[in-house]
Amino acid sequence: MSPRKIQAPGTSSTGTSAPDPTRRVPRHPRVRPRRVRRSGLRTPGHEYSPDGQFYAYEQVFSGEQSNDRYTGMVRDVQQLMTTKSLSAYVYTESTDVEGEYNGLLTYDRRVQKVDTNRLRAARSSAPPATSTPPPVSPWAMSVRSR
Protein backbone atom coordinates (compact mmCIF):
# COMPACT_ATOMS: atom_id res chain seq x y z
CA MET A 1 0.00 0.00 0.00
CA SER A 2 1.50 3.32 -1.05
CA PRO A 3 1.47 6.33 1.25
CA ARG A 4 -1.45 8.70 0.73
CA LYS A 5 -0.57 12.12 -0.61
CA ILE A 6 -1.91 14.86 1.65
CA GLN A 7 -3.04 18.02 -0.13
CA ALA A 8 -2.99 21.32 1.72
CA PRO A 9 -6.18 23.40 1.57
CA GLY A 10 -6.08 26.01 -1.16
CA THR A 11 -3.60 24.11 -3.34
CA SER A 12 -4.12 22.02 -6.43
CA SER A 13 -2.87 18.48 -6.92
CA THR A 14 0.27 19.91 -8.55
CA GLY A 15 1.02 21.90 -5.41
CA THR A 16 0.33 25.31 -6.92
CA SER A 17 -1.80 27.84 -5.13
CA ALA A 18 -5.42 27.89 -6.28
CA PRO A 19 -8.60 29.30 -4.77
CA ASP A 20 -10.73 26.86 -2.78
CA PRO A 21 -13.97 26.50 -4.80
CA THR A 22 -15.97 25.56 -1.71
CA ARG A 23 -15.06 28.73 0.16
CA ARG A 24 -17.27 31.80 -0.25
CA VAL A 25 -15.27 35.00 -0.44
CA PRO A 26 -17.07 37.98 1.07
CA ARG A 27 -17.30 40.99 -1.21
CA HIS A 28 -16.34 44.20 0.47
CA PRO A 29 -18.80 47.00 -0.33
CA ARG A 30 -15.99 49.55 -0.78
CA VAL A 31 -14.27 47.57 -3.51
CA ARG A 32 -17.15 47.67 -5.97
CA PRO A 33 -16.65 49.25 -9.40
CA ARG A 34 -19.02 52.06 -10.25
CA ARG A 35 -19.86 53.54 -13.59
CA VAL A 36 -20.66 57.20 -14.02
CA ARG A 37 -22.58 58.23 -17.10
CA ARG A 38 -20.86 60.58 -19.49
CA SER A 39 -22.65 63.44 -21.19
CA GLY A 40 -22.41 64.40 -24.83
CA LEU A 41 -22.41 67.72 -26.63
CA ARG A 42 -23.03 67.64 -30.40
CA THR A 43 -20.53 69.60 -32.49
CA PRO A 44 -21.65 69.36 -36.14
CA GLY A 45 -18.74 69.42 -38.57
CA HIS A 46 -16.42 67.74 -36.03
CA GLU A 47 -18.16 64.36 -35.73
CA TYR A 48 -17.95 61.15 -37.71
CA SER A 49 -20.28 58.21 -38.08
CA PRO A 50 -20.17 55.76 -40.99
CA ASP A 51 -23.98 55.45 -40.97
CA GLY A 52 -24.83 59.04 -39.98
CA GLN A 53 -26.26 57.96 -36.60
CA PHE A 54 -24.93 59.46 -33.35
CA TYR A 55 -25.33 58.45 -29.71
CA ALA A 56 -24.63 59.93 -26.30
CA TYR A 57 -25.41 58.51 -22.86
CA GLU A 58 -26.88 61.84 -21.82
CA GLN A 59 -27.13 64.78 -24.21
CA VAL A 60 -26.39 68.34 -23.15
CA PHE A 61 -27.12 71.33 -25.35
CA SER A 62 -24.50 73.95 -24.48
CA GLY A 63 -20.90 74.27 -23.38
CA GLU A 64 -22.09 75.59 -20.01
CA GLN A 65 -24.27 72.50 -19.43
CA SER A 66 -21.32 70.30 -20.41
CA ASN A 67 -19.04 72.10 -17.93
CA ASP A 68 -21.65 71.76 -15.17
CA ARG A 69 -22.14 68.05 -15.90
CA TYR A 70 -18.42 67.21 -15.82
CA THR A 71 -17.62 69.27 -12.72
CA GLY A 72 -20.66 67.67 -11.06
CA MET A 73 -19.28 64.26 -11.96
CA VAL A 74 -15.97 65.18 -10.31
CA ARG A 75 -17.84 66.31 -7.17
CA ASP A 76 -19.82 63.03 -7.11
CA VAL A 77 -16.61 60.99 -7.33
CA GLN A 78 -15.01 63.08 -4.59
CA GLN A 79 -18.01 62.38 -2.36
CA LEU A 80 -17.53 58.64 -2.96
CA MET A 81 -13.86 59.09 -2.00
CA THR A 82 -14.76 60.58 1.37
CA THR A 83 -17.88 58.55 2.21
CA LYS A 84 -17.24 55.15 0.61
CA SER A 85 -13.40 55.00 0.58
CA LEU A 86 -13.18 55.07 -3.21
CA SER A 87 -9.48 55.31 -3.97
CA ALA A 88 -9.37 55.92 -7.73
CA TYR A 89 -11.40 56.52 -10.84
CA VAL A 90 -10.72 56.60 -14.56
CA TYR A 91 -12.46 58.68 -17.20
CA THR A 92 -12.47 56.43 -20.24
CA GLU A 93 -13.63 58.58 -23.13
CA SER A 94 -11.56 61.72 -23.49
CA THR A 95 -12.48 62.14 -27.17
CA ASP A 96 -15.52 61.40 -29.27
CA VAL A 97 -15.42 58.09 -31.13
CA GLU A 98 -17.18 56.97 -34.30
CA GLY A 99 -20.92 57.35 -33.87
CA GLU A 100 -20.70 58.75 -30.32
CA TYR A 101 -20.21 62.23 -28.92
CA ASN A 102 -19.45 61.62 -25.24
CA GLY A 103 -15.89 62.95 -25.18
CA LEU A 104 -14.22 66.04 -23.81
CA LEU A 105 -12.79 66.68 -27.30
CA THR A 106 -14.43 66.21 -30.67
CA TYR A 107 -13.73 63.26 -32.98
CA ASP A 108 -11.24 65.33 -35.01
CA ARG A 109 -9.69 66.74 -31.76
CA ARG A 110 -10.17 70.32 -33.01
CA VAL A 111 -12.82 71.48 -30.55
CA GLN A 112 -12.50 71.30 -26.77
CA LYS A 113 -16.03 70.83 -25.42
CA VAL A 114 -15.34 71.69 -21.78
CA ASP A 115 -13.43 74.42 -19.97
CA THR A 116 -10.27 72.69 -18.75
CA ASN A 117 -9.63 75.43 -16.18
CA ARG A 118 -12.98 74.66 -14.52
CA LEU A 119 -12.27 70.93 -14.59
CA ARG A 120 -8.78 71.48 -13.18
CA ALA A 121 -10.20 73.65 -10.38
CA ALA A 122 -12.84 71.04 -9.53
CA ARG A 123 -10.23 68.27 -9.61
CA SER A 124 -7.73 70.17 -7.45
CA SER A 125 -10.19 70.21 -4.56
CA ALA A 126 -10.02 66.41 -4.31
CA PRO A 127 -9.99 65.06 -0.75
CA PRO A 128 -6.78 63.56 0.62
CA ALA A 129 -6.41 59.81 0.41
CA THR A 130 -7.64 57.90 3.45
CA SER A 131 -4.94 56.62 5.75
CA THR A 132 -6.51 53.17 6.07
CA PRO A 133 -6.93 51.25 2.82
CA PRO A 134 -9.96 48.96 2.45
CA PRO A 135 -9.31 45.34 3.43
CA VAL A 136 -8.18 42.87 0.78
CA SER A 137 -9.97 39.54 0.57
CA PRO A 138 -7.94 36.40 1.42
CA TRP A 139 -8.67 35.05 -2.07
CA ALA A 140 -7.02 38.09 -3.72
CA MET A 141 -3.99 37.62 -1.53
CA SER A 142 -3.62 33.98 -2.57
CA VAL A 143 -3.86 34.94 -6.25
CA ARG A 144 -1.16 37.59 -5.85
CA SER A 145 1.21 35.15 -4.15
CA ARG A 146 1.38 32.86 -7.21
Side-chain angles (χ1 to χ4, degrees), residues 15-137:
T16 59
S17 178
D20 181 357
T22 62
R23 182 169 176 216
R24 285 190 58 131
V25 177
R27 296 194 73 138
H28 198 279
R30 292 184 290 186
V31 187
R32 195 175 313 149
R34 297 177 188 260
R35 184 176 184 139
V36 180
R37 292 197 160 193
R38 299 175 296 268
S39 63
L41 176 64
R42 291 284 314 259
T43 50
H46 299 279
E47 306 164 330
Y48 174 74
S49 177
D51 62 3
Q53 301 294 313
F54 294 97
Y55 172 79
Y57 292 100
E58 174 188 328
Q59 186 173 2
V60 295
F61 300 97
S62 71
E64 190 60 33
Q65 283 182 330
S66 187
N67 287 329
D68 290 344
R69 180 67 177 106
Y70 284 105
T71 54
M73 196 180 336
V74 169
R75 279 192 311 273
D76 292 347
V77 167
Q78 290 172 346
Q79 182 179 6
L80 290 172
M81 290 174 134
T82 57
T83 61
K84 302 289 184 187
S85 298
L86 180 73
S87 59
Y89 71 98
V90 176
Y91 187 83
T92 59
E93 199 167 308
S94 57
T95 63
D96 290 349
V97 294
E98 292 180 7
E100 291 187 17
Y101 53 96
N102 296 309
L104 303 173
L105 296 171
T106 58
Y107 179 79
D108 60 9
R109 277 85 164 160
R110 293 178 188 230
V111 177
Q112 188 173 311
K113 298 196 277 182
V114 295
D115 180 354
T116 54
N117 290 327
R118 278 186 65 183
L119 281 178
R120 190 175 295 117
R123 197 48 213 117
S124 67
S125 63
T130 57
S131 58
T132 308
V136 177
S137 74

